[in-house]
């Protein structure tokens, strides 16, 4: 959940640890398109210091970088 609405019927992706994961959006959430890749995404996120989410919000924003803390 991102806290802001995505553009209706839009897609997203997350690039993390050298891998790219296609996602679908609904309201203010984005989920991995291929559920079989979810565990790989989570494992990769645990090992990587940053994830870059590419998506279009309802306001037109198209990118969000997230650093691990």
């Amino acid at each position: 959940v991102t806290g802001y609405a995505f553009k209706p019927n839009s897609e997203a992706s997350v690039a993390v640890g050298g891998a790219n994961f296609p996602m679908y959006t609904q309201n203010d959430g984005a989920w991995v398109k291929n559920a079989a890749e979810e565990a790989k995404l989570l494992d990769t996120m645990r090992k990587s210091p940053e994830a870059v989410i590419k998506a279009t919000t309802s306001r037109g924003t198209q990118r969000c970088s997230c650093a691990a803390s």
Side-chain angles (χ1 to χ4, degrees):
V1 177
T2 60
Y4 48 83
F6 288 106
K7 181 179 176 182
N9 301 313
S10 66
E11 295 184 358
S13 66
V14 60
V16 59
N20 191 50
F21 298 88
M23 305 181 92
Y24 69 92
T25 65
Q26 183 176 8
N27 300 321
D28 64 347
W31 296 270
V32 179
K33 276 188 171 184
N34 181 353
E37 291 187 328
E38 187 172 336
K40 180 180 177 184
L41 170 60
L42 294 174
D43 185 54
T44 304
M45 289 176 76
R46 287 183 190 108
K47 296 174 183 176
S48 181
E50 182 182 53
V52 176
I53 301 167
K54 293 184 181 179
T56 303
T57 69
S58 59
R59 292 183 172 188
T61 304
Q62 295 185 343
R63 181 179 169 136
C64 173
S65 294
C66 305
S69 53

